[in-house]
Amino acid sequence: MTGYASAQHSSAANTPESESKSSSARRLGLEIRSVNSRFLDLTFKLPDELRSHEPALRERVMAKLKRGKVEVRAAIENTASGSLPDPSPRLMQRVNSLQDSVKAWLPQAAPLSVADVIRLASGEQGPAHDWADDLLTLSDTVLAALVEARQREGDRLATMLKGHITQLRTLAQKAVPLVPQLVEQQRQRFLERWKEAMALTDGATLPEAAQDRALTEATSFAIRIDVAEELTRLHSHLDEMERILKKGGEAGKRMDFLIQELHREANTMGSKSAALELTKISVDMKVLIEQMREQVQNVE
């Protein structure tokens, strides 16, 4: 199921007093988004500072989510009032000395740019902050919000699936009286053909043997077009789907299987069809079942 959730956490790391009197505030942002997928596909986009925490994040996500293409993205931003770090004289001297040493060996090396110096200065703001506890706490918050969002979508999907189940039951009820009508029509057709055949011979009346043969043919026809078993199995699958939707929990894979069985029964009804009305019912059923298949793949 689709879903999105995000949260932020701010942390202030004080710099050494010998170099700066200000504090560098940093903000950790975490967002998790998911789109529909039959299996769980995880993607992590983390800065180098958080890369070591990916296994712990993966474990937490897998404990909460079972299906979906899930992207976990984290970022760390500086939020101090001074938008750019102020390089200290000691850093400038060290950088200049290192650059001279490099150019002594590699004269063709490009000189450092202002952006390079600022980037080096940003790493001078004291020891790196340990984001482990903050990141895992934040992940629990974001995952809870994501699960809640997916639950809301799941409720909407369940309502839609129940509506489709009701429509399938209605179509099945329409098919029930069609088979006896078709059998009777076919029996009358056989009798008429036998009468025509006998009239072409000697004009005699229809013998009892011919009537028995017509009834036998009608019976054989009734067996071929009987869809009572298919309708019974279809109702059974629909009952099971309703039970699963009512129970809740992990239902996606079982629903996938039931959708396949529903399609099998509707397809068999279409192959046995001997009337346009039954064919139309079969087609309408398969359309509904295909719509359900697309949505069931989103159910976890």
Side-chain angles (χ1 to χ4, degrees):
M1 289 180 286
T2 60
Y4 174 84
S6 65
Q8 293 80 34
H9 174 79
S10 297
S11 175
N14 293 328
T15 59
E17 293 183 359
S18 60
E19 297 179 3
S20 175
K21 297 294 184 181
S22 63
S23 66
S24 175
R26 308 182 75 193
R27 181 174 61 195
L28 170 65
L30 180 68
E31 64 178 33
I32 304 178
R33 65 184 67 198
S34 68
V35 295
N36 301 326
S37 177
R38 294 184 62 186
F39 307 100
L40 182 60
D41 182 8
L42 296 179
T43 302
F44 290 85
K45 296 185 178 180
L46 308 176
D48 293 339
E49 198 170 346
L50 303 177
R51 185 65 63 185
S52 61
H53 304 303
E54 180 177 327
L57 277 176
R58 182 180 295 273
E59 182 179 350
R60 271 173 159 74
V61 173
M62 293 179 66
K64 296 291 184 180
L65 308 178
K66 302 303 179 184
R67 302 179 84 179
K69 184 176 178 61
V70 181
E71 179 183 287
V72 181
R73 184 188 297 267
I76 299 175
E77 301 176 354
N78 291 323
T79 59
S81 56
S83 59
L84 295 177
D86 186 10
S88 65
R90 186 180 67 178
L91 175 66
M92 298 294 289
Q93 292 175 0
R94 186 181 177 192
V95 168
N96 188 56
S97 176
L98 289 173
Q99 180 174 241
D100 291 341
S101 298
V102 171
K103 292 186 71 66
W105 288 94
L106 301 171
Q108 71 276 16
L112 288 172
S113 65
V114 174
D116 294 332
V117 176
I118 292 176
R119 185 167 58 252
L120 292 171
S122 64
E124 188 197 21
Q125 305 300 318
H129 179 74
D130 185 4
W131 293 102
D133 293 338
D134 297 333
L135 180 62
L136 296 182
T137 301
L138 200 61
S139 69
D140 291 338
T141 302
V142 176
L143 279 171
L146 180 67
V147 169
E148 184 178 349
R150 287 161 63 101
Q151 181 63 46
R152 290 193 297 269
E153 183 185 358
D155 293 339
R156 291 192 294 270
L157 288 177
T159 301
M160 184 278 295
L161 291 173
K162 290 177 181 178
H164 280 41
I165 289 174
T166 300
Q167 294 181 59
L168 285 172
R169 290 190 187 279
T170 301
L171 289 172
Q173 289 300 116
K174 290 181 179 179
V176 171
L178 290 179
V179 174
Q181 294 175 10
L182 291 173
V183 172
E184 179 60 26
Q185 291 174 6
Q186 191 67 15
R187 188 180 73 86
Q188 293 296 331
R189 187 177 297 112
F190 283 143
L191 290 173
E192 291 174 0
R193 289 180 179 177
W194 276 105
K195 289 179 180 179
E196 293 176 358
M198 296 303 296
L200 292 176
T201 56
D202 56 5
T205 59
L206 187 65
E208 184 177 352
Q211 292 182 353
D212 292 341
R213 180 63 182 274
L215 292 176
T216 301
E217 293 292 337
T219 301
S220 176
F221 174 77
I223 294 174
R224 290 197 304 270
I225 70 169
D226 185 20
V227 294
E229 292 185 6
E230 285 75 13
L231 292 175
T232 300
R233 287 193 294 265
L234 187 140
H235 280 294
S236 176
H237 298 328
L238 293 178
D239 290 341
E240 180 65 11
M241 291 189 73
E242 287 185 329
R243 188 192 67 80
I244 292 173
L245 290 173
K246 183 177 181 180
K247 180 181 177 181
E250 296 181 16
K253 293 182 179 180
R254 188 168 182 82
M255 297 280 279
D256 279 339
F257 171 76
L258 290 172
I259 288 294
Q260 293 177 10
E261 294 303 306
L262 286 174
H263 189 273
R264 189 194 313 276
E265 305 305 335
N267 196 54
T268 303
M269 286 179 56
S271 64
K272 288 185 174 183
S273 174
L276 183 60
E277 296 90 339
L278 198 58
T279 300
K280 184 178 184 302
I281 289 175
S282 173
V283 171
D284 290 343
M285 281 184 171
K286 287 191 280 188
V287 170
L288 286 172
I289 293 169
E290 192 60 33
Q291 292 174 355
M292 294 172 70
R293 185 199 304 275
E294 295 175 359
Q295 299 302 326
V296 161
Q297 292 180 359
N298 307 333
V299 177
E300 184 167 309

